[in-house]
Amino acid sequence: MHRISNAVRLLLLLIALGAFPAGAAPLQAQWEFRLLPGDAQGAAHPGLQQWRAATVPGSVHTDLLAHELIRDPYVGAPEAELQWIGLADWEYRARFDVDAASLAKAHAELRFDGLDTYAEVTLNGKPLLRADNAHRTWHARVEGRLRAKGNELQIVFRSPIRTLLPGVQAMPHRIAGNYPSPYGDEPKDAMVGNFARKPAYHFGWDWGPRYVTAGVWRGVDLQAWDAHRLTDVAVRTDALDAEKAKLAVVLQVEQDAVAGPVAVDVEVRDPDGRSVARVQRTIELTPGRNSVDVPVELAKPRRWWPVGHGAQDRYTVQARLDGSADPVLAREQRIGLRTVELRREQDDKGGQGFAFVINGMPIFAKGANVIPFDAFPARVDAARLRQVLVAARDANMNMLRNWGGGYYEDDAFFDIADELGLLVWQDFMFGGGMQPGYDPAFRASVVAEARDNVRRLRHHPSIVLWCGNNEEETAWKDWGHGRDLKSADPVFAAKVWQGYVDLFGNDLRQVVSEDGLGVPYWSSSPSNDLDEKANDSTRGDKHYWQVWGNPALPVQAYLRETPRFMSEYGLQAWPAVATVDQIATRAEQRIDSPVIRAHQKFMAGEGNTRLLHYIELGYGTPKDFEDFVYLSQVMQADGIALAALHHRASRPYTMGSLYWQLNDVWPGASWSSVDYFGRWKALHYAARRFFAPVTVAALRDAGSTRVRLINDGAALDARWRLRVMDVEGKVLRRREQAVTLSAAGVTDIGTYADAELLAGADPARTVAVFELLQDGKVTARQVVGFVEAKDQVLPRQQLTSTLAIDGDHYRLRLHSAALVRAAWIDFGALDVQVEDNLLDLLPGETRDIAVRGPVDLAALREALKVKTLNDR
């Protein structure tokens, strides 16, 4: 039985919190939708021209699903049969009343925070606006056009494919796109996604489905006012240290045609809610837009820090006009006081660093890339965002990169990141390929989009970088996009590249400079900000896909690639069988079944071949699908741990490690560490260890193991220990000594050749155990094998387990008689949280694991499975 359908229908009822900024009043309307009468899809889908209830914010796919007019887009393999939706034109309408107080105001405006994408809007039968950018906020003045009862708002959404395809097909030479459709809804040689300001992933990606949707995907609000309104509040930090903060509260005020005075009241409250500054003054407004700076000083400011480096203190700034609490005259924002610098120091070898410096402190960035949380963004609620971001924090991450092929996240995402102390690298929404930056209208739309979103999000202290795009510069320079177009039409190629430089080198940089409140700008990832070389290990940020991608090098190659900042690298794994159960029956759970292939988007469905290649390199051939899932997760966790520890151990040359990827857009195979339903893969448990503030990196390559101790914080005294033992527990060699870990740095212990460690012992039956001890307790451990896991001789059936109640939770006790590798605790579909997982247990070791969840003990005992590499 597929259970995802009920979950999807529940999510349709949840509207993302925080969809409306301060001062907005969500339009109280009843929405309906239909296939536009006369649309060509009507013949094949009769009955869809009648009006049906719609959910706003939402999308046509979720509305069709709510009425059971289509199959669940995530269950089974329905993707091909649903592509007609993206070829159709759709119509939405809203009926609403307006209260007398709003009608009496001199001015009124409708604001649309998200129209996806080519929309024609009418109000009471008359044209209101035309939209062509899903990432923009659209405004329309409506004073004199509203009535007390029965207003009707109509929105026609044109198919982006049908809208753009004639122009793309007419081009003599086409710019490179991303992923061609395998379904025939769009020609493979004429992709329209790069020309649409619409979430790029809607056209399909190598981790998600192709659902070219449409709809009112964010809120609509009506605002009415008289002489003036407060349209924005920003807080600029002019100086900040531990002693004093000099701030400017910048108010944007819109005044009608008559100039006049206004009383301004600005108050700042500290993180405890106490008023620490208040400024009141009267200013003279001129007709039109006014910008007002109100200086504020704070003594002994409590600065906002990334998690692990200090508190996430935030202040509240409230601004009022005329002493009013009316939402059009008052705004309140929470801000964090911090400085941010992207430090790019030259080194003596011609390289250049890439380090984030917060409040004067260099921060090693530990984290992952974030993709959209759903194919249909309106059904992502704040609870789901919190679940995944808390998981990132709990895995000792301090930075997330919001990747450019999706959409600008809701404020709720950044509110949670602010609260948790997660730094955010924010891409502008360009996911790959090449853009028509040579088109002035396209560039103007992007600039408007950028200003909308920078201004909306700039008060969040978590945002520490705005980046122009994902992989467009390296695609042009390194993947052949530029070479191929130059060969076909050098004049057009030069025009395309100049458009790229204009848009990403100049336009977006200027927007961030003017509106970004001091946050740095970076033109592309990876890049050296339009330097000659785009994807350079010695300068700028790096994407490294020679492992997993082409030429599919073994994971040990991670140890030979040392970047200044690694912003992408990754290995795939399938999610837990409990997640797969929600999209495929057990009979369908085969590596080559149509449903499993449909949920493996890499290499157009052939990605399991690549995944199997990596599994077999290190772990052998899986026995069945469940074993395939388990080994994929072990392989992913082991490989990414190798890379991340290498990056951290290379500090300060390397100052960041962001693996691809944190989350999923739907249930399926991907590079994520947290799956679509929030279940942690083995990688996420491993990340909590390899991103721990203090840990050990014992990295073996080419017959030797280099050992370094990593410390993110202040210097500390500890002990490190080496034990070489056989799989039954006999210690062949032991060494232990005191060590002082350097502050915010790496302590090199030494390099050990295999021959030195083994001293003649059987490498298949021997391991080296490197541990860090603090106050007599082991706080970090790495078990290093001398052969691939598939070649290790591990005793079978060495693990015993018991479950018992332990206060407010359950205790799972694991005991190992001999060495156990990669023990994976699995309770199937039960809704429980396991304190730790993917464990190596030494001979004679006992581990107690807390298990929490609304499940009785008998059910837990019945569901418990523990898989290990020993049992294969």
Side-chain angles (χ1 to χ4, degrees), residues 638-796:
D638 286 351
I640 299 303
L642 197 69
L645 287 170
H646 169 59
H647 301 152
R648 294 189 68 195
S650 300
R651 180 177 182 165
Y653 184 89
T654 302
M655 284 300 291
S657 182
L658 308 179
Y659 65 73
W660 186 270
Q661 64 205 56
L662 176 64
N663 61 309
D664 272 336
V665 73
W666 77 330
S670 83
W671 297 260
S672 74
S673 61
V674 177
D675 78 16
Y676 177 77
F677 295 108
R679 295 185 174 105
W680 289 24
K681 292 183 183 176
L683 170 57
H684 210 75
Y685 289 98
R688 187 161 58 189
R689 294 189 282 268
F690 63 65
F691 281 151
V694 179
T695 193
V696 57
L699 305 176
R700 180 179 176 273
D701 185 31
S704 65
T705 301
R706 186 177 179 186
V707 183
R708 285 160 288 182
L709 305 179
I710 298 166
N711 177 28
D712 286 343
L716 60 87
D717 293 330
R719 299 185 70 82
W720 73 272
R721 180 169 67 194
L722 162 65
R723 287 179 289 169
V724 180
M725 65 178 65
D726 69 17
V727 295
E728 304 292 347
K730 180 180 178 181
V731 176
L732 307 177
R733 178 181 174 183
R734 179 187 179 105
R735 181 180 176 186
E736 181 175 331
Q737 67 184 62
V739 63
T740 298
L741 277 64
S742 59
V746 178
T747 303
D748 199 334
I749 295 301
T751 300
Y752 298 86
D754 286 357
E756 176 187 359
L757 293 171
L758 287 167
D762 182 355
R765 298 182 58 84
T766 309
V767 293
V769 182
F770 294 91
E771 294 171 315
L772 187 66
L773 296 89
Q774 296 173 263
D775 298 324
K777 296 181 179 179
V778 175
T779 57
R781 172 193 289 168
Q782 270 198 273
V783 178
V784 177
F786 298 96
V787 296
E788 296 288 355
K790 64 182 179 182
D791 298 320
Q792 274 193 316
V793 179
L794 297 172
R796 295 176 62 82

Side-chain angles (χ1 to χ4, degrees), residues 603-638:
M603 294 170 56
E606 299 293 336
N608 283 339
T609 303
R610 181 67 51 85
L611 185 50
L612 193 59
H613 164 74
Y614 276 94
I615 291 171
E616 290 181 333
L617 275 179
Y619 305 90
T621 301
K623 296 180 294 185
D624 51 29
F625 186 78
E626 186 173 344
D627 198 38
F628 172 66
V629 169
Y630 164 70
L631 290 179
S632 75
Q633 292 204 20
V634 174
M635 179 277 299
Q636 181 192 39
D638 286 351

Side-chain angles (χ1 to χ4, degrees), residues 213-284:
T213 194
V216 186
W217 76 281
R218 276 190 170 145
V220 181
D221 78 276
L222 174 64
Q223 190 176 81
W225 70 98
D226 282 321
H228 42 251
R229 62 171 173 168
L230 181 60
T231 59
D232 192 31
V233 174
V235 181
R236 189 180 70 240
T237 302
D238 294 329
L240 176 65
D241 57 28
E243 298 302 316
K244 185 167 59 176
K246 287 188 174 183
L247 311 175
V249 180
V250 184
L251 313 181
Q252 301 297 325
V253 184
E254 185 176 325
Q255 175 70 14
D256 65 12
V258 179
V262 62
V264 173
D265 185 344
V266 171
E267 183 180 17
V268 180
R269 298 192 297 273
D270 72 8
D272 299 320
R274 296 171 299 198
S275 180
V276 290
R278 187 169 187 181
V279 178
Q280 296 174 301
R281 62 174 57 176
T282 298
I283 60 173
E284 192 73 20

Side-chain angles (χ1 to χ4, degrees), residues 2 71 75-77 580-581 583-597 625:
H2 298 313
R71 283 205 287 157
V75 175
V580 180
D581 283 342
I583 59 172
T585 65
R586 285 298 173 100
E588 293 167 331
Q589 291 180 27
R590 307 184 315 275
I591 292 175
D592 60 349
S593 81
V595 171
I596 294 302
R597 286 172 56 87
F625 186 78

Side-chain angles (χ1 to χ4, degrees), residues 238-536:
D238 294 329
L240 176 65
D241 57 28
E243 298 302 316
K244 185 167 59 176
K246 287 188 174 183
L247 311 175
V249 180
V250 184
L251 313 181
Q252 301 297 325
V253 184
E254 185 176 325
Q255 175 70 14
D256 65 12
V258 179
V262 62
V264 173
D265 185 344
V266 171
E267 183 180 17
V268 180
R269 298 192 297 273
D270 72 8
D272 299 320
R274 296 171 299 198
S275 180
V276 290
R278 187 169 187 181
V279 178
Q280 296 174 301
R281 62 174 57 176
T282 298
I283 60 173
E284 192 73 20
L285 297 178
T286 59
R289 296 178 180 175
N290 296 256
S291 183
V292 180
D293 283 25
V294 179
V296 175
E297 288 196 11
L298 304 178
K300 300 287 185 182
R302 292 158 64 174
R303 291 176 289 180
W304 183 93
W305 290 91
V307 61
H309 296 275
Q312 288 73 57
D313 286 323
R314 287 180 290 167
Y315 288 76
T316 301
V317 177
Q318 184 181 73
R320 295 176 184 270
L321 304 183
D322 300 329
S324 175
D326 186 329
V328 301
L329 299 175
R331 289 211 174 196
E332 185 172 283
Q333 283 184 344
R334 296 190 75 184
I335 65 167
L337 301 179
R338 58 96 180 94
T339 60
V340 56
E341 172 193 356
L342 182 59
R343 186 167 291 173
R344 313 246 18 255
E345 293 178 334
Q346 297 282 346
D347 62 31
D348 56 6
K349 296 181 180 178
Q352 190 173 18
F354 189 102
F356 289 92
V357 180
I358 309 299
N359 298 328
M361 177 185 293
I363 305 293
F364 189 99
K366 306 178 297 184
N369 289 260
V370 173
I371 64 169
F373 289 77
D374 204 289
F376 313 111
R379 66 183 186 181
V380 179
D381 67 329
R384 183 151 26 139
L385 295 174
R386 177 170 292 278
Q387 178 188 38
V388 178
L389 268 61
V390 167
R393 189 273 315 274
D394 289 349
N396 290 307
M397 297 183 187
N398 61 20
M399 176 176 276
L400 301 174
R401 172 180 173 238
N402 270 339
W403 168 80
Y407 51 88
Y408 303 94
E409 285 287 351
D410 190 84
D411 272 272
F413 178 98
F414 299 95
D415 285 336
I416 297 166
D418 293 346
E419 172 195 333
L420 299 177
L422 294 170
L423 303 173
V424 177
W425 166 320
Q426 179 64 51
D427 283 1
F428 286 101
M429 288 302 112
F430 296 90
M434 184 54 69
Q435 308 301 321
Y438 51 82
D439 177 359
F442 182 89
R443 280 176 55 198
S445 182
V446 171
V447 168
E449 159 197 324
R451 289 200 191 278
D452 282 349
N453 287 284
V454 171
R455 289 174 176 173
R456 174 173 69 91
L457 299 172
R458 61 186 172 181
H459 64 281
H460 292 284
S462 53
I463 297 178
V464 294
L465 186 73
W466 286 95
C467 179
N469 66 70
N470 171 77
E471 294 188 340
E472 294 199 5
E473 184 179 345
T474 191
W476 181 265
K477 293 179 176 179
D478 304 325
W479 301 357
H481 292 185
R483 179 199 63 220
D484 294 346
L485 192 56
K486 289 175 188 175
S487 175
D489 188 340
V491 174
F492 182 53
K495 182 179 179 181
V496 170
W497 178 247
Q498 186 58 52
Y500 176 94
V501 173
D502 290 341
L503 179 58
F504 297 110
N506 300 324
D507 293 348
L508 294 181
R509 193 184 308 274
Q510 182 175 348
V511 170
V512 174
S513 175
E514 293 173 350
D515 293 330
L517 300 178
V519 170
Y521 174 78
W522 191 245
S523 61
S524 183
S525 180
S527 79
N528 194 38
D529 205 15
L530 285 167
D531 202 357
E532 181 177 353
K533 192 172 181 181
N535 197 12
D536 188 349

